[in-house]
Amino acid sequence: MSTTLFSLAFGVGTQNRQGAWLEVFYALPLLHPAAELVAAVAPLIGYSGGNQAIAIDTDRAAELAVALKGIDPAQSALLTRLAESHKPLVATLLAEDAALTSTPEAYLKLHLLSHRLVRPHGQNLAGIFPLLPNVAWTSQGAVDLGELPARQLEARLKGELLEVFSVDKFPKMTDYVVPSGVRIADSARIRLGAYIGEGTTVMHEGFVNFNAGTEGPGMIEGRVSAGVFVGKGSDLGGGCSTMGTLSGGGNIVISVGEGCLIGANAGIGIPLGDRNTVESGLYVTAGTKVNLLDEQGRLVKVVKARELAGQPDLLFRRNSQSGAVECKTHKSAIELNEALHAHN
């Protein structure tokens, strides 16, 4: 058995009455754990290789705590606490970054993102949706939807209220991870699996999906969808300001460079280079036809927006008279056209 793993974590979670996992909380997930740690853990939990989520009891957690005391004090301390749990425990070991096969595996990879151990699209998340059960996220934690009516009645009979905050596959990130150095106005709008970099502020209407996020510092006032990673900013004291929609999808990462501004109700479907501006209300997709203008505002060439992907110092706007999408640059558009021609 190899002692080289992609990831390892000890978690506590929630199961329904049939013993199916609803969610898992990993306080200290590890990326590429030390071989010595893996060698100590494997025989105690019966791990023989591959990607596995292995249920453990409190006695086994206590044994692991002792075994890891001189190897990894932080993991040992965590296991000491887990040994006191009244909830089900799991040890999840990923030998390789492969497609997901269980709910504990899926939650581990979401934690790796929100703990900033991997960046968006930095790991294999294939098969994640079927493995994330749609559950009720309540004031008493995750509840299986089939068990919700009985739980609500039980609470009422005790004079209590079981409040349902959402019904979704993804919980909010801050119930699992609160990254350092961030401001989040409405935590319900940040899903577990979001990567929120140091110095990021997410305003009340900001939304960050799983497998998306910001390098920071930055200001998010709009939607950052899956596959989007917003780079460092330099706008007014720190931020790349996004007020519109940044849309990714499939295996495509939509990156946003430093110092960009995406206006209110605007959106992009292409990566942006540094210091790009997209005016309010404009949505630029890869196939959008763009009139490339020189510094005097004269038309040089009509290109598809994908040809401008990643270029710095661009302003995307819509002509108020013709409705055409236009692009100006601090450089001469002729120079940009030549650069694009040379690249192609």
Side-chain angles (χ1 to χ4, degrees):
M1 182 202 73
S2 172
T3 55
T4 300
L5 296 184
F6 171 70
S7 183
L8 180 151
F10 303 103
V12 55
T14 306
Q15 294 175 327
N16 64 12
R17 291 172 182 168
Q18 286 72 47
W21 288 101
L22 300 181
E23 57 84 38
V24 183
F25 171 71
Y26 298 103
L28 295 172
L30 296 172
L31 184 69
H32 306 305
E36 185 182 6
L37 185 150
V38 178
V41 168
L44 291 177
I45 62 175
Y47 174 70
S48 57
N51 291 3
Q52 294 188 48
I54 301 172
I56 60 174
D57 57 21
T58 53
D59 290 339
R60 193 53 48 86
E63 292 177 10
L64 287 165
V66 173
L68 297 184
K69 191 170 184 179
I71 299 173
D72 190 324
Q75 294 294 325
S76 176
L78 170 62
L79 285 158
T80 299
R81 297 300 308 276
L82 293 179
E84 304 169 357
S85 176
H86 297 287
K87 301 281 284 183
L89 304 176
V90 64
T92 304
L93 303 91
L94 304 181
E96 58 181 343
D97 181 21
L100 297 162
T101 61
S102 70
T103 298
E105 289 179 30
Y107 267 84
L108 174 51
K109 287 196 170 182
L110 293 177
H111 277 73
L112 292 177
L113 282 158
S114 291
H115 276 275
R116 301 175 183 157
L117 295 175
V118 298
R119 291 191 174 191
H121 279 247
Q123 60 184 342
N124 188 343
L125 295 179
I128 191 170
F129 285 101
L131 296 172
L132 295 176
N134 196 31
V135 302
W137 300 100
T138 77
S139 51
Q140 295 180 11
V143 177
D144 187 285
L145 291 177
E147 301 170 6
L148 181 61
R151 292 281 296 271
Q152 289 175 315
L153 176 59
E154 181 183 342
R156 293 282 182 168
L157 294 176
K158 295 178 180 178
E160 301 171 353
L161 174 64
L162 178 63
E163 185 175 359
V164 178
F165 302 116
S166 67
V167 178
D168 196 5
K169 288 178 173 290
F170 293 85
K172 62 182 180 181
M173 182 190 72
T174 53
D175 283 348
Y176 294 78
V177 184
V178 179
S180 62
V182 303
R183 293 171 53 206
I184 300 173
D186 185 350
S187 61
R189 299 179 67 84
I190 313 297
R191 280 176 152 181
L192 179 64
Y195 182 113
I196 310 297
E198 185 93 18
T200 298
T201 295
V202 185
M203 298 300 289
H204 293 80
E205 295 304 316
F207 171 84
V208 185
N209 208 342
F210 84 102
N211 207 26
T214 66
E215 186 175 8
M219 174 77 75
I220 305 298
E221 295 184 73
R223 177 182 176 86
V224 181
S225 67
V228 174
F229 190 65
V230 182
K232 293 181 179 179
S234 56
D235 182 46
L236 293 177
C240 169
S241 177
T242 66
M243 296 178 283
T245 300
L246 287 73
S247 299
N251 294 318
I252 299 172
V253 179
I254 304 297
S255 61
V256 178
E258 299 182 8
C260 293
L261 172 63
I262 299 173
N265 299 316
I268 60 169
I270 61 169
L272 295 183
D274 296 340
R275 299 173 300 279
N276 276 209
T277 298
V278 181
E279 75 167 10
S280 298
L282 177 61
Y283 204 113
V284 181
T285 67
T288 299
K289 291 185 177 180
V290 180
N291 289 345
L292 193 61
L293 307 180
D294 64 17
E295 292 175 337
Q296 285 71 45
R298 294 173 300 198
L299 177 64
V300 175
K301 186 180 181 182
V302 178
V303 299
K304 289 187 176 181
R306 66 170 60 94
E307 298 180 54
L308 301 173
Q311 296 293 328
D313 302 302
L314 301 181
L315 165 64
F316 292 92
R317 68 186 188 188
R318 189 177 295 279
N319 188 293
S320 60
Q321 294 182 321
S322 68
V325 177
E326 298 176 337
C327 177
K328 294 192 68 173
T329 174
H330 297 308
K331 298 180 179 180
S332 163
I334 295 175
E335 292 177 359
L336 179 59
N337 181 41
E338 292 174 349
L340 290 172
H341 181 73
H343 177 73
N344 292 335

